[in-house]
Amino acid sequence: MPDGQPLKLGVLVSGNGSNLQAIIERIEAGGINARIACVVSNTPEAFALTRAARHAIPAIIHENCGYANRREYDAALVEILRARGVELVILAGFMRILSEVMVQAFPNAIMNIHPALLPAFAGLHAQKQALDYGVRFSGCTVHLVDCGTDTGPIILQAVVPVEQDDSEESLSARIQREEHRIFPEAVRLFCDGKIRVEGRQVRILP
Ligand code: GRF
């Protein structure tokens, strides 16, 4: 936990990286006592890699192929992160489910953002699930990662309205504005040692 030194973050990505960008900007503005030790992408095509390069953040491509199963992939991922001293792992649009190999290597130190109000609409296409169900409100959830899919203890949530004429794109855009606010905030709380996990509950210390 914090001793004044910036916490070392490892950010895992697969796509656009707008959440990565939001976290980078909050760190650069002095709002989070952390340093991104590395960005890891499971695909060379992720625009998040360009974002990392623009900010001189080391980036590694750790592709899916060549591993017999999820556990083997994750064991190599643990090595990559440990070699760089990573203390908090951030899943910023990382399109892989982690095995217990990663979860046990970083207990209560992996954070994910999900584009719905968990426990509603876990899994893929959460915005479409919300639209299809007909809810009036959706949002996003930052949570710690356990061995289930989107089941870990909840740190922060934000609510957005669902409009009658929303498309998946328009709802996603509204949710993303909130993601870019609460994800960096959850990272800040963690880095400041303000998060205490008590079973399923996350207590945020004053
Ligand atoms: C976000 O919508 C997040 O909720 C989900 O993946 C998306 C990542 O977006 N887990 P980006 O790559 O950060 O722009």
Side-chain angles (χ1 to χ4, degrees):
M1 273 300 137
D3 56 0
Q5 292 294 329
L7 208 78
K8 295 195 192 77
L9 312 182
V11 184
L12 311 190
V13 297
S14 302
N16 179 26
S18 67
N19 280 285
L20 166 68
Q21 187 73 43
I23 292 165
I24 291 172
E25 286 172 12
R26 186 90 185 259
I27 291 172
E28 289 184 350
I32 305 175
N33 186 24
R35 177 169 74 76
I36 301 180
C38 62
V39 166
V40 181
S41 173
N42 65 330
T43 162
E45 272 121 49
F47 184 65
L49 292 168
T50 304
R51 296 183 191 270
R54 283 178 184 161
H55 293 267
I57 297 168
I60 295 141
I61 297 165
H62 180 43
E63 288 195 80
N64 304 335
C65 50
Y67 295 94
N69 53 48
R70 218 180 280 287
R71 294 165 55 93
E72 278 191 18
Y73 178 93
D74 281 5
L77 181 56
V78 169
E79 289 306 307
I80 289 169
L81 297 168
R82 287 224 170 112
R84 285 152 186 86
V86 166
E87 296 158 284
L88 172 64
V89 180
I90 294 169
L91 307 185
F94 188 58
M95 296 307 287
R96 279 185 68 95
I97 293 173
L98 298 181
S99 71
E100 72 279 10
V101 172
M102 262 296 287
V103 175
Q104 285 163 9
F106 294 95
N108 283 337
I110 305 176
M111 235 183 236
N112 183 44
I113 180 110
H114 182 75
L117 293 173
L118 291 172
F121 313 130
L124 290 174
H125 309 299
Q127 301 93 332
K128 182 167 187 309
Q129 290 186 57
L131 288 172
D132 289 350
Y133 199 92
V135 291
R136 298 291 185 208
F137 292 91
S138 191
C140 49
T141 304
V142 182
H143 65 94
L144 294 167
V145 173
D146 63 12
C147 282
T149 301
D150 302 322
T151 52
I154 291 169
I155 302 170
L156 294 176
Q157 292 186 302
V159 180
V160 306
V162 179
E163 307 292 354
Q164 305 259 27
D165 54 355
D166 260 336
S167 62
E168 211 179 323
E169 290 68 34
S170 62
L171 177 59
S172 300
R174 194 175 308 120
I175 290 172
Q176 275 228 317
R177 281 195 289 280
E178 293 302 308
E179 292 184 10
H180 300 159
R181 187 175 64 78
I182 68 169
F183 209 4
E185 179 59 10
V187 174
R188 180 192 74 78
L189 290 168
F190 188 102
C191 293
D192 286 350
K194 300 283 191 199
I195 286 177
R196 183 177 304 149
V197 185
E198 299 171 357
R200 263 219 66 83
Q201 270 87 45
V202 171
R203 188 168 295 281
I204 296 177
L205 305 177

